[in-house]
Amino acid sequence: MTHLTIAPVLLPLLAGALLLLTRRLLPLGVRRGLNLAAVTGQVVLAVMLLMAVGSGDVLTYNLGNWPAPYGIVLVADRLAAWMLLITALLGFFVLLYAVRGTDRGSRHFHPIYQLQLFGLNGAFLTGDLFNLFVFFEILLLASYGLLVHGGGAKRIRAGLHFVVINLAGSTLFLFAAGTLYGVLGTLNMADLAVKVAQTSPENLGVVRTAGLLLFAVFGLKAALIPLHLWLPGAYSTTSAPVAALFAIMTKVGAYCLLRVGTLIFGAEAGPLTDLYAEWLLPLGLMTLLLGAFGALSANELRRQIAYLVVVSVGLLLTAFGLASAAGIAAGLYYMVNTTFATAAFFLLADLIARRRGAMLDRLSPGPAIHRAGLLGGLFFIAALLVVGLPPLSGFVGKFLVLSAAFEDRSWPWVMAAVLTSGLLGMIALGRSGSLLFFNTTAGVERDPPGERMALMPVFGLLALCVGLLAASGPMLGFCTATAEQLLHPQGYISAVLGPTSGGTNP
Amino acid sequence: MEALMSLIVGVLSACGVYLLLRARTFPVVLGLTLMTYAVNLFLFASGRLTIGAPPIIREDATQYTDPLPQALVLTAIVISFAMTAFVIMLALKARAELGNDHVDGRADREESA
């Protein structure tokens, strides 16, 4: 039992507490440095954890040394470490952008930022359904704070909607967890997987209900149709770094759908096998299409990107819904690309908006943009990545999803929906790009001072996508290994419950 | 007792959902509160209802009640308490920023006319 497993949870918690306590003692510059150092530490920890689990080991950590399924357990497998690394890298670049002034809006930006990462890391590592709820609440409470950071009527209104719908979702989560506990007598996910497989026929209906209630909760977090309506409002009104960081928030829902769908309702679950996959595929395809229509109809750049987040969730969950190793691997590869690309796009939209005077990011003719060549070039690259056109990694991800879909009965549907949404997304971004950069009216707005450094995080995030493209072979190999591990959860279960016990529970 | 418990959970949830769908922030917050009461009772009942049995080991006890749901309920109460406090503050802030307590921030037609 190595302590490395719990370190990604402890570090942001301690850093957050430290930043909260030193608010009056240290100047802002030092606290920025501390926060950046803490996030860098999380990148290092995530890389170490990834190397430790890369060979296929599943690391477990029993808190207080209480054996599972009685105690609380943290589990790190390939998927969890992969998600941790994505989160930490995203957190680093977004923070690099935020320290350029966004963090002045309220006094507690830095502690809340660390607590957000604490909740995210915990949600990826926990092996217990109730603790997943607790970490959800932590990350949501932090996200409420970040979302309304900076204030303003529009932001508060979107924040209120976001908070209320997520509180309703949390209540639903507790109902589902309570039902599962009432029937199966456990909340440990590995133990649940064993118990679900042995469910007696008269309890099948109840377990199915609880499972689908959980599906609704995770679908709400992931912004799956028809539970996506909160996303465009929340993402388009909040500050740019927060919107960029929230690129990982929908992925938490997708992660939970994948984890619970493969572990608890996976191949071993008897009559409940593929409980999630059969819902994921059609809903994912509808999400793809409706998100693309939303992107077409948006009249602000940031709202358009928010709808493109919905599109990416649709493609991601379609890939997971294929429930094959190739499909899940394609989804995991695509997830990296879409997380970094949409985050870079949100930051870029903010840079563009600041150069357009009062027009901000509204999609109508406005003043010409200073250094339009550079910003336009970045816009072009980000658009290629988000829509998934060659030659960048977005295309590779999309191609992998499509080629995985060929093995599935539903391939004509997948093909039609993915290609149509790609076309719609291309039209939408093409229109925005030409409006913003070519259809200009008045004279050039001056560059805001000190803006050159603000481009660095955007470059960084886009460089990560290029790196993903360059290392596609090894990355895809890792994603395939991860998918195989997910589809054969016996390793996970025996690592948590111990090889001898086999999940027997008096 | 089971019937009474399920009736209470059902009535609380129904009232909670009804209030949650109202257009003013105050009923919405009340609705969320009622929903959390309902779910707390539900979680408590998920460990089966036993009367007068201790949850932890005692020498003279012949029968135990399941301690885990009680721990879960405690956690859920703490979280829902914090969330309610937060949503009340946010609702007050929205009332101040938007000038009314409509969830979409728009005044009724007769008020604006």
Side-chain angles (χ1 to χ4, degrees):
Chain A
M1 193 166 83
T2 160
H3 292 287
L4 181 63
T5 319
I6 200 173
V9 184
L10 284 184
L11 177 64
L13 176 63
L14 296 176
L18 183 72
L19 285 164
L20 184 67
L21 293 175
T22 55
R23 185 170 71 78
R24 288 168 196 282
L25 304 176
L26 298 174
L28 187 59
V30 180
R31 299 173 68 232
R32 283 172 173 169
L34 271 179
N35 198 353
L36 274 172
V39 183
T40 315
Q42 284 168 52
V43 176
V44 174
L45 285 176
V47 170
M48 283 166 66
L49 203 57
L50 197 61
M51 299 215 295
V53 299
S55 58
D57 293 342
V58 178
L59 299 179
T60 60
Y61 189 90
N62 297 331
L63 274 94
N65 216 5
W66 291 93
Y70 306 106
I72 293 170
V73 62
L74 296 178
V75 189
D77 62 350
R78 287 195 183 111
L79 177 64
W82 187 241
M83 299 302 299
L84 285 180
L85 185 61
I86 299 176
T87 310
L89 284 173
L90 180 73
F92 177 76
F93 284 108
V94 169
L95 187 63
L96 213 53
Y97 189 93
V99 295
R100 303 204 50 76
T102 320
D103 59 347
R104 288 183 197 277
S106 76
R107 287 166 297 179
H108 296 301
F109 181 85
H110 289 287
I112 298 178
Y113 195 88
Q114 282 297 331
L115 291 180
Q116 173 83 65
L117 294 175
F118 167 56
L120 286 166
N121 291 352
F124 293 138
L125 281 174
T126 182
D128 183 288
L129 206 58
F130 195 79
N131 277 300
L132 185 63
F133 164 75
V134 174
F135 281 119
F136 261 15
E137 293 306 304
I138 293 170
L139 78 90
L140 285 173
L141 196 47
S143 75
Y144 303 154
L146 287 178
L147 190 76
V148 297
H149 168 79
K154 275 172 87 176
R155 212 168 271 182
I156 297 284
R157 187 175 62 197
L160 190 66
H161 294 178
F162 180 74
V163 172
V164 169
I165 193 154
N166 274 304
L167 286 180
S170 305
T171 314
L172 215 53
F173 196 150
L174 280 179
F175 272 117
T179 312
L180 279 179
Y181 184 77
V183 179
L184 303 173
T186 181
L187 284 171
N188 181 297
M189 292 207 273
D191 202 25
L192 273 176
V194 176
K195 294 279 161 58
V196 164
Q198 304 162 349
T199 315
S200 54
E202 72 266 20
N203 283 336
L204 271 182
V206 186
V207 175
R208 185 189 298 271
T209 310
L212 289 176
L213 272 178
L214 277 181
F215 181 88
V217 176
F218 299 148
L220 175 72
K221 312 284 179 210
L224 192 67
I225 295 281
L227 298 167
H228 70 294
L229 293 167
W230 58 271
L231 189 142
Y235 281 35
S236 61
T237 49
T238 186
S239 59
V242 175
L245 182 66
F246 279 17
I248 195 76
M249 292 277 283
T250 51
K251 277 47 171 201
V252 182
Y255 162 84
C256 293
L257 284 169
L258 182 61
R259 173 70 82 199
V260 173
T262 53
L263 180 63
I264 301 180
F265 301 108
E268 310 283 308
L272 295 171
T273 299
D274 285 347
L275 180 68
Y276 282 10
E278 61 192 39
W279 285 91
L280 270 179
L281 195 58
L283 287 176
L285 291 177
M286 276 163 65
T287 313
L288 260 176
L289 283 177
L290 283 179
F293 282 122
L296 265 187
S297 70
N299 50 9
E300 286 162 1
L301 181 58
R302 286 175 53 193
R303 183 167 285 266
Q304 188 165 55
I305 305 169
Y307 272 111
L308 289 170
V309 172
V310 177
V311 172
S312 75
V313 165
L315 186 60
L316 193 60
L317 295 180
T318 303
F320 291 165
L322 293 171
S324 64
I328 293 174
L332 290 173
Y333 181 92
Y334 180 74
M335 171 149 62
V336 184
N337 165 68
T338 177
T339 307
F340 293 145
T342 44
F345 218 157
F346 272 120
L347 298 180
L348 196 60
D350 187 48
L351 289 174
I352 293 172
R354 279 202 237 166
R355 284 169 171 74
R356 296 182 81 226
M359 289 306 293
L360 292 174
D361 61 343
R362 230 164 297 153
L363 293 176
S364 38
I369 296 164
H370 185 62
R371 290 205 298 176
L374 180 62
L375 283 178
L378 289 173
F379 182 94
F380 184 65
I381 294 173
L384 287 185
L385 281 167
V386 168
V387 179
L389 288 180
L392 295 173
S393 55
F395 171 72
V396 179
K398 205 171 219 178
F399 180 79
L400 288 170
V401 175
L402 287 180
S403 67
F406 262 123
E407 296 163 16
D408 200 84
R409 233 169 354 98
S410 59
W411 70 268
W413 294 100
V414 178
M415 209 57 74
V418 171
L419 294 180
T420 311
S421 80
L423 177 69
L424 293 178
M426 197 157 61
I427 295 172
L429 282 176
R431 185 180 63 111
S432 324
S434 45
L435 253 173
L436 289 171
F437 293 101
F438 299 131
N439 194 355
T440 49
T441 51
V444 177
E445 284 270 332
R446 284 272 310 283
D447 236 16
E451 282 288 271
R452 195 161 302 171
M453 286 302 288
L455 280 172
M456 291 310 293
V458 181
F459 275 125
L461 286 168
L462 294 179
L464 284 178
C465 290
V466 175
L468 179 71
L469 176 71
S472 279
M475 290 292 174
L476 191 63
F478 180 83
C479 291
T480 311
T482 311
E484 290 291 346
Q485 193 177 31
L486 286 171
L487 290 174
H488 301 97
Q490 294 84 357
Y492 184 101
I493 293 169
S494 60
V496 174
L497 298 178
T500 47
S501 71
T504 47
N505 194 355
Chain B
M1 188 164 64
E2 280 81 1
L4 184 64
M5 197 75 172
S6 43
L7 193 69
I8 294 173
V9 172
V11 169
L12 279 176
S13 318
C15 297
V17 171
Y18 175 78
L19 286 174
L20 199 58
L21 297 172
R22 307 298 298 171
R24 302 276 162 192
T25 47
F26 181 66
V28 170
V29 174
L30 270 189
L32 282 172
T33 318
L34 289 186
M35 290 286 281
T36 56
Y37 291 164
V39 82
N40 287 344
L41 288 176
F42 179 81
L43 272 182
F44 189 76
S46 71
R48 307 295 183 267
L49 301 168
T50 20
I51 295 177
I56 47 173
I57 293 178
R58 263 187 20 198
E59 296 279 321
D60 53 339
T62 51
Q63 189 195 8
Y64 290 103
T65 180
D66 193 344
L68 189 78
Q70 308 195 0
L72 300 186
V73 170
L74 266 181
T75 317
I77 288 174
V78 172
I79 291 176
S80 67
F81 187 67
M83 291 297 176
T84 310
F86 182 83
V87 79
I88 287 174
M89 283 315 295
L90 194 64
L92 285 174
K93 180 88 176 153
R95 170 73 183 78
E97 290 268 355
L98 303 167
N100 62 73
D101 64 346
H102 193 280
V103 285
D104 279 336
R106 53 163 188 255
D108 282 341
R109 254 168 290 161
E110 59 265 31
E111 283 173 32
S112 58

